[in-house]
Amino acid sequence: MSHFLVRRDDLRECRVAESDMPEIGSGQALLRVDSFGLTANNVTYAVFGEAMSYWDFFPAPEGWGRVPVWGFAEVARSEAAGVEPGTRVYGYLPPSSHLAVTPVDVGGAGFVDGSPHRAALPSAYHRYLATDADPFHRPDTEQIQMLLRPLFFTSFLIDDQLDDDGLATRGPVLISSASSKTAIAAAFMLSRRDGVELVGLTSPRNAGFVEGLGIYDRTVTYEAIEALERGPATYVDIAGDGAVRHAVHSRFGDELAHSMAVGASHWEDFGAGEGDLPGPAPTFFFAPDRVVKRSEDWGRAGLEVRVAEAWHPFSEWAGGWLETIPGSGFDAVRAAYLDVLEGRVDPKHAHVLTV
Ligand SMILES: NC(=O)c1ccc[n+]([C@@H]2O[C@H](COP(=O)([O-])OP(=O)(O)OC[C@H]3O[C@@H](n4cnc5c(N)ncnc54)[C@H](OP(=O)(O)O)[C@@H]3O)[C@@H](O)[C@H]2O)c1
């Protein structure tokens, strides 16, 4: 089987490697990875591979990592009761041709990978959903699903938390990396609420695109943050850029009601130049923790239904402007990864890869 590997201590170094096909024992199944999306989110998995254990999902040779991706796979072989060969599933995958799993909690909706090495990792990443029972799934929108679904889930939870905490209407909500898919999905949902004012913070090269989306009330480039009107505000930080964070906190100071640290799309400037921050300490937003909370409140099925209901209007809207860049084979995976890593992907484009 083939794998796309990234050097853990130098994310620009990457290679394709081969290994023997794993033996499938009793209770196990072999998935054949079909296709997946690649965005800045996957780069963030690599950036925090060590710190947040993202490298531990799909082990790799010493010093190398397999960057997790979201996509579709097919059960190629199965020695697990209730898991039929040919079943198509959506879930968290390695950028490899195959993945051996140990299905548990098997049912019509799919299964959970109970492999021992994953047991200590967040459970939100372990579920493989059978496409024919999945309320999200539509065969004609698989590309959009691979790209946007994991991000949308986060965005749904951000929108939900801001509303739940009374922050959505407490002055403008400022969102950095406003051109990112995660920001766009959050802004799409927030913009549908009454009384929400959205400010999209972005780089000059992406300002026209952000403006054209029509979901932010205002588009402001990073350089112009210090000209924003002072007053109560909430910051949703998807760039993770230390200098941008410093600019927002300096401008709003104690009037900043909340500073939500969501992402690190500006991975090379993550935390850099932040210095002493006026205002509230940034709070890390980790989607799997919020999934646990809302699953307790609404039940896991209740959460899935709410997310699926919100998903369809968003995916229809996004499908109207998002252009996918298809790629096939591991050389295409490597080229796409380097494009995303270096921030060379135009925000209206996104890579979808088949291996
Ligand atoms: N905490 C959580 O649970 C969670 C969950 C999902 C996603 N996230 C995070 O949200 C972030 C966005 O992910 P995404 O997949 O939505 O991103 P994306 O759509 O691929 O984002 C693209 C945008 O990010 C900025 N960017 C990307 N690479 C860059 C680079 N190398 N240098 C400078 N700017 C760069 C640019 O925006 P601007 O020019 O507008 O800055 C670019 O238009 C990621 O860090 C991801 O990990 C966090």
Side-chain angles (χ1 to χ4, degrees):
M1 58 195 255
S2 311
H3 313 276
F4 173 66
L5 303 178
V6 169
R7 230 195 135 75
R8 292 184 182 203
D9 60 6
D10 178 3
L11 300 183
R12 293 189 161 91
E13 203 181 317
C14 47
R15 67 186 170 96
V16 177
E18 302 294 324
S19 72
D20 293 338
M21 207 54 110
E23 294 289 323
I24 295 301
S26 173
Q28 289 188 306
L30 184 69
L31 303 185
R32 186 182 59 76
V33 176
D34 177 30
S35 46
F36 53 84
L38 207 65
T39 68
N41 186 39
N42 306 96
V43 170
T44 306
Y45 291 146
V47 171
F48 295 110
E50 220 83 59
M52 293 186 62
S53 308
Y54 287 117
W55 293 136
D56 297 350
F57 284 92
F58 308 115
E62 181 71 28
W64 296 83
R66 287 191 281 168
V67 179
V69 293
W70 291 92
F72 291 94
E74 232 168 72
V75 178
R77 291 212 308 271
S78 177
E79 298 290 330
V83 177
E84 299 305 323
T87 304
R88 191 167 175 77
V89 295
Y90 165 83
Y92 204 53
L93 299 166
S96 298
S97 57
H98 296 80
L99 171 68
V101 290
T102 306
V104 295
D105 199 6
V106 179
F111 59 85
V112 165
D113 181 14
S115 296
H117 75 275
R118 290 175 74 156
L121 298 164
S123 61
Y125 299 110
H126 296 346
R127 198 165 284 275
Y128 292 85
L129 298 163
T131 53
D132 52 8
D134 179 2
F136 265 87
H137 186 259
R138 285 184 191 162
D140 55 333
T141 63
E142 281 199 349
Q143 295 202 334
I144 295 270
Q145 285 172 66
M146 284 181 274
L147 283 165
L148 301 182
R149 182 171 176 174
L151 310 172
F152 178 82
F153 209 107
T154 298
S155 309
F156 173 92
L157 296 166
I158 292 170
D159 167 67
D160 172 59
Q161 183 174 331
L162 292 182
D163 179 57
D164 202 30
D165 293 349
L167 294 165
T169 51
R170 203 163 142 195
V173 177
L174 293 84
I175 309 183
S176 67
S177 269
S179 65
S180 68
K181 318 289 181 287
T182 306
I184 292 169
F188 178 84
M189 277 174 283
L190 284 161
S191 71
R192 301 185 138 207
R193 294 186 183 276
D194 287 339
V196 178
E197 185 188 347
L198 290 173
V199 178
L201 304 176
T202 188
S203 47
R205 67 183 171 132
N206 292 326
F209 166 79
V210 172
E211 185 89 48
L213 288 169
I215 49 174
Y216 296 97
D217 296 285
R218 269 180 299 153
T219 303
V220 173
T221 59
Y222 297 126
E223 292 77 4
I225 289 170
E226 58 196 35
L228 282 167
E229 195 180 320
R230 289 197 159 97
T234 293
Y235 183 37
V236 178
D237 185 9
I238 291 176
D241 186 314
V244 172
R245 180 179 287 171
H246 190 263
V248 170
H249 277 247
S250 300
R251 188 67 192 158
F252 292 91
D254 288 336
E255 290 195 287
L256 203 58
H258 186 67
S259 178
M260 183 187 265
V262 178
S265 61
H266 295 195
W267 62 277
E268 289 193 283
D269 299 308
F270 177 70
E274 190 167 288
D276 277 343
L277 278 183
T283 307
F284 181 56
F285 177 87
F286 188 49
D289 290 345
R290 193 74 192 164
V291 170
V292 170
K293 184 192 170 336
R294 281 315 201 189
S295 299
E296 283 165 10
D297 296 343
W298 300 333
R300 178 74 202 196
L303 172 61
E304 293 284 353
V305 167
R306 281 171 169 85
V307 179
E309 271 169 11
W311 161 256
H312 292 299
F314 170 72
S315 66
E316 271 155 35
W317 173 76
W321 56 264
L322 183 66
E323 293 171 28
T324 53
I325 311 173
S328 176
F330 282 89
D331 286 342
V333 173
R334 184 172 184 279
Y337 165 78
L338 289 171
D339 259 7
V340 177
L341 184 75
E342 303 296 356
R344 291 192 294 248
V345 184
D346 189 90
K348 76 165 189 292
H349 292 150
H351 289 282
V352 173
L353 299 148
T354 54
V355 293

